[in-house]
Every structure is written in C-alpha cells, then in structure tokens.
Amino acid sequence: MQVVVLGSGGREHAIAWKLLQSHRVQKLILVPGNDGALEQLQSQYPSKEIQFWQDSIKGRDSLQALAKKTKLAHVDFVVVGPDNALADGAVDAFEAEGVRAFGPTQAAAQLETSKIFAKHIMKAAKVPTAEFYEATSVLEAKKILSSLNWNEKQWVIKADGLALGKGVEICETPDDASKALTRLEKFSSSFVIEERLSGKEISWLAFCDGESCSLFPPARDYKTLTSDPLSPNTGGMGAVCPIPLADEALFVKIQERVFLPVLKEMKKRGTPFKGVLYAGLMTHGDEFWVLEFNARFGDPEAQVLLPLMNDDLLDWCEACVDGRLHAKGALVPSISKKAVYMVAAAPGYPADPTLGGEIKNFSNWTKMHRGFFAGVRKDAQGELLTAGGRVLGALGIGDSIAHARRAALENLQTLTFAGMQVREEIGSEWN
Ligand code: AMP
Ligand code: GLY
C-alpha cells in the first residue's frame, strides 16, 4: 500500500515509523515531513520507498489540491497528524476525492477546535467537567468575570478556537483575569470561563470509529518549559506512558463516562467522530473531569504511545475509518514496558527560539532508533540544523519508568546542539 502522512513534527515521525512496521505499507510519503525523519526512516526501513512531498497542507484550497494529487498518485490511505489540517477540513477533502483518510471530519473536529462546542457536547453527554460560563464578546466575558466568586474559587479563561496551545489562562484574581482577557482577545471574541480544578493531569487517548472506542494506556505530558509550574507553557516538553494510576478502575470509568457517551452524542448530531480522540483529564483520587478534547494524537504523547503499541497501526487506523473497532477490543494492545520521551528544544523556546544551530552527531540517531525528529532541516552541505522550537526528542523504553528515563537520557547524550533545553527530570516523580 501507498500511505501518506500529513504533518512535519515528532508526532508525524512516530506515526510514519510505526506505519512502516506494517508489512502492507510499501511506500510512505511525508507531507511535508522533516529531513531528520526522512533520513532516519530511509536508514531503518531500507526495503521501503519513503519520500517527501513539499505541498502545503494549510487551508482548504491546498488540501483539496493535495487530495486530487493523492488520488492521481493512487495513494491508498492518508493519516492526518496536525490539528490545523483537521480544522481546515483535510479529511473531508480526501473523502470528496474517494481517498480513505484517518481522522475526524471538520465538523467532528470541533470537539477540539471549539471549546464552547466541546462544553455543549460534554453537558449533553453528562461527561464530568468543570462548571462553566460562555461569553460571545469581551464585554460579556467581563460581566461574567466581575460576577464570579473569587474568594473561594479561581477561574480559567479559554479562547474559543485553536490558539497553538496559548488559548488558556489560569487566573487567581480579577486583575489576572482582566489581563488574560486582553491577551486572549487576539485569538477569539468568544470564551469559556470555567472553575479552576486541582489534581493530577492525565492524557487519555482512544481510537474511535464513530461508535466504539479502544483506549491506549494512560499518559502524561509535561507542558511547562521547566519543572517550575509557573514557567512558560510549551507545546509539550516530554511524556511518560503508562503512568501509574491512583484508581485502577479508572479505565472503565473513562470508557463508560467519557468516550462512549461523547461518541453517542456526536453520532446523534450527525457528526460521528472517527480517529483518535484525546481526553485531557484532571483527576483527584477517584474523581475526574475532562479539561479538553483534542481530535488527534497528542504531540508528544504519540511518541510514547506508538512505540509501546503492539500491533499494526495501519490496521487500527483502517478499522476506525471502516467502523470495525468493536471487533478489536477495549484496549489497544501494548507491550508491558514503560516509555519516557524528552524533548530537546531550541534556545529561547518558546518565546523566541534561536534557530539554525548545527545538530552534531545526528547520524547516531539515524543508524539506531533513539528518538524522533521535529523542527530540523538539512542545509546544502547536508548538515542537520535546528529549524523549529521543539527540535527533536529522545525516547527511552524500559521495565520501569526509572529505566526508561535513564535510556532516554542516554540517547539524548548521543547528539547535541548549542543551547539545548531539556527537562531531564521528566518521569523522576516515579523513580
Ligand atoms: P486546555 O487547552 O483546555 O487543556 O488547557 C490547557 C491546560 O490548562 C491544561 O492542560 C491544564 O493544565 C490547564 N487547565 C485547563 N483547564 C483547567 C481547569 N479547569 N483547571 C485547572 N487547569 C486547567
Ligand atoms: N500534548 C498536548 C497536545 O498535543 O495538544
């Protein structure tokens, strides 16, 4: 089969790497991918044909043109990685050309692209979530904020819409809230205002086929730049999977009280959700609440979930598209190991990353699988340079989280670039 993977980050590198393990995938095209991923995949799968297409995946017109091209090239299957492409209707564009594509339609992706939509679905499906208000203008938001109880509670303001992970502000005082609103106004004029919850966060992802779901093991991502919770928010500095749960029965509760009711509600509205649904949860003892939905694999969660997955990813993606997940079981088969992923970010990330630095010894990562590439490009001399805030990430697999951490740190030491920022303590809470 010829398979296309849309996107260029570490998540898409992991998706492509896992798809290539399928004996049915003979040719894989990354659109646009990155130079580090291409070289590593070509070196690790020498019997397969792996290439780039440099077509744009931004906006409906580009996606429609790409869909036509994939049809002409007899592409059999497309996996869509990033949220923007889903929000722009990537899956709808491929479907219109009769090309099978993995991911939700634009209408179903609203679970991620509109916080207000997601809250309405959760309310209708009785999914536990924070108490909330919605505002469709800054003025309305200000009125709501001034009427709230700030003595016993704190509040979170969320811009309605995609905001590159910068659309949420946690506010401790009314003064914080007014500053947050000024910043969030840039992203949207509609907002969700919800109660601040406390506890431990879990990223729980599941394959969905519109009706049934199969859950991955629970993971955690590390969103702040350093271990200081007040340090800047990033796209994710690393991940651990599976994380030990305080409540062993949580898996069944999440399936029955989050995924299945949401799928039922989406189907009822005529927009069944197919693809990976990612529930960002807050847990406290045996209680839990959904903070957000994403309509795709998380980055960097994919980089720990897929290396542990013990089955053919292509087959699972096809099962979602074809509506035959019920035959697969409630859990995604995974090896009984732990995975730790540590992102190496460029100096100055996230505010103002300095790019163009040389990545030394990167061939250590192409000959052996030590991690995934994201923000990298090759120059005319074939040197690999930093080209994005999150440059690459080291993967460690082990019998315990402590072992996996050590393996990730060892892999990280086999290449380097100037000013590398890493959260080396990732996973150390379970040492
Ligand atoms: P979201 O995009 O809605 O997941 O928000 C991003 C991050 O903001 C989450 O991963 C949490 O760390 C934090 N957050 C969102 N909503 C809440 C909430 N109601 N209470 C506490 N933290 C929250
Ligand atoms: N790791 C968070 C996300 O992918 O949105």
Side-chain angles (χ1 to χ4, degrees):
M1 282 176 73
Q2 279 197 73
V3 180
V4 160
V5 176
L6 253 58
S8 63
R11 164 182 54 207
E12 287 76 20
H13 183 179
I15 292 171
W17 170 82
K18 187 70 191 167
L19 284 170
L20 281 160
Q21 291 173 6
S22 169
H23 67 276
R24 288 190 299 139
V25 176
Q26 184 47 39
K27 180 169 174 183
L28 189 130
I29 303 159
L30 299 159
V31 191
N34 70 66
D35 290 319
L38 184 73
E39 181 160 332
Q40 193 216 70
L41 295 172
Q42 285 173 337
S43 140
Q44 288 176 8
Y45 298 97
S47 66
K48 309 224 175 184
E49 196 181 334
I50 304 160
Q51 28 170 275
F52 276 157
W53 282 355
Q54 292 303 330
D55 303 61
S56 166
I57 58 168
K58 287 202 183 89
R60 190 69 181 234
D61 291 347
S62 305
L63 291 164
Q64 277 168 346
L66 180 63
K68 286 196 166 52
K69 181 172 168 177
T70 53
K71 187 179 182 183
L72 282 173
H74 304 290
V75 166
D76 299 289
F77 199 77
V78 180
V79 178
V80 183
D83 49 0
N84 317 50
L86 293 167
D88 289 342
V91 170
D92 312 61
F94 290 109
E95 280 180 355
E97 292 297 330
V99 179
R100 292 160 81 221
F102 175 77
T105 59
Q106 189 175 38
Q110 285 182 93
L111 274 177
E112 171 165 11
T113 58
S114 166
K115 305 262 184 206
I116 294 179
F117 178 88
K119 280 290 198 182
H120 287 177
I121 294 286
M122 285 191 259
K123 206 170 162 184
K126 300 194 173 59
V127 171
T129 186
E131 176 198 338
F132 73 102
Y133 301 89
E134 66 182 82
T136 50
S137 68
V138 173
L139 197 66
E140 198 184 352
K142 281 187 178 158
K143 270 194 202 145
I144 294 168
L145 287 163
S146 65
S147 70
L148 295 175
N149 171 358
W150 289 90
N151 295 326
E152 287 140 42
K153 294 180 178 180
Q154 294 176 352
W155 298 86
V156 181
I157 312 178
K158 303 184 174 187
D160 187 51
L162 290 182
L164 298 165
K166 298 186 175 70
V168 176
E169 291 270 358
I170 293 173
C171 309
E172 296 186 354
T173 63
D175 192 38
D176 289 348
S178 115
K179 286 187 193 133
L181 208 51
T182 308
R183 207 186 62 73
L184 293 174
E185 242 184 293
K186 286 188 276 226
F187 298 113
S188 177
S189 54
S190 297
F191 309 91
V192 165
I193 297 166
E194 69 177 30
E195 190 185 343
R196 181 181 187 180
L197 302 170
S198 60
K200 293 195 184 302
E201 285 187 51
I202 301 181
S203 304
W204 219 320
L205 285 75
F207 281 114
C208 300
D209 71 355
E211 258 177 39
S212 306
C213 61
S214 303
L215 274 63
F216 279 97
R220 175 157 304 150
D221 80 335
Y222 294 71
K223 290 197 173 89
T224 50
L225 182 65
T226 69
S227 56
D228 176 357
L230 297 177
S231 65
N233 238 322
T234 72
M237 291 298 288
V240 173
C241 181
I243 53 163
L245 293 177
D247 175 5
E248 284 294 324
L250 195 56
F251 160 80
V252 179
K253 290 189 204 158
I254 299 300
Q255 186 193 31
E256 288 178 355
R257 296 185 56 202
V258 178
F259 287 104
L260 290 174
V262 165
L263 291 179
K264 197 167 168 193
E265 183 63 28
M266 292 295 283
K267 190 177 172 209
K268 195 169 113 193
R269 294 183 182 216
T271 52
F273 187 96
K274 294 182 174 194
V276 166
L277 184 60
Y278 165 146
L281 305 168
M282 184 71 88
T283 63
H284 193 94
D286 60 0
E287 279 192 290
F288 65 89
W289 302 266
V290 173
L291 297 181
E292 66 164 339
F293 284 118
N294 294 319
R296 51 173 172 83
F297 275 114
D299 185 338
E301 286 90 340
Q303 293 93 307
V304 286
L305 296 177
L306 295 176
L308 295 177
M309 184 181 176
N310 194 14
D311 211 346
D312 181 328
L313 175 60
L314 176 66
D315 186 46
W316 278 79
C317 293
E318 288 184 297
C320 293
V321 175
D322 300 340
R324 52 179 173 80
L325 216 47
H326 55 277
K328 292 254 182 215
L331 284 174
V332 178
S334 299
I335 56 173
S336 56
K337 301 249 181 202
K338 316 283 179 196
V340 170
Y341 189 73
M342 288 178 194
V343 167
Y349 176 77
D352 186 17
T354 307
L355 306 178
E358 185 189 339
I359 301 166
K360 298 204 176 93
N361 303 325
F362 90 96
S363 63
N364 282 335
W365 279 40
T366 52
K367 285 181 263 166
M368 244 181 96
H369 187 246
R370 297 179 187 273
F372 298 105
F373 290 101
V376 300
R377 69 174 171 89
K378 269 193 188 164
D379 66 7
Q381 287 72 42
E383 306 286 1
L384 197 69
L385 306 180
T386 61
R390 288 189 293 172
V391 177
L392 48 87
L395 175 69
I397 307 270
D399 289 327
S400 65
I401 293 175
H403 283 141
R405 252 194 92 221
R406 271 202 294 281
L409 284 168
E410 277 166 21
N411 282 332
L412 204 54
Q413 277 154 13
T414 60
L415 55 60
T416 180
F417 59 87
M420 196 188 247
Q421 301 192 77
V422 178
R423 277 186 65 171
E424 293 189 358
E425 96 297 347
I426 280 176
S428 60
E429 62 267 49
W430 295 293
N431 257 356

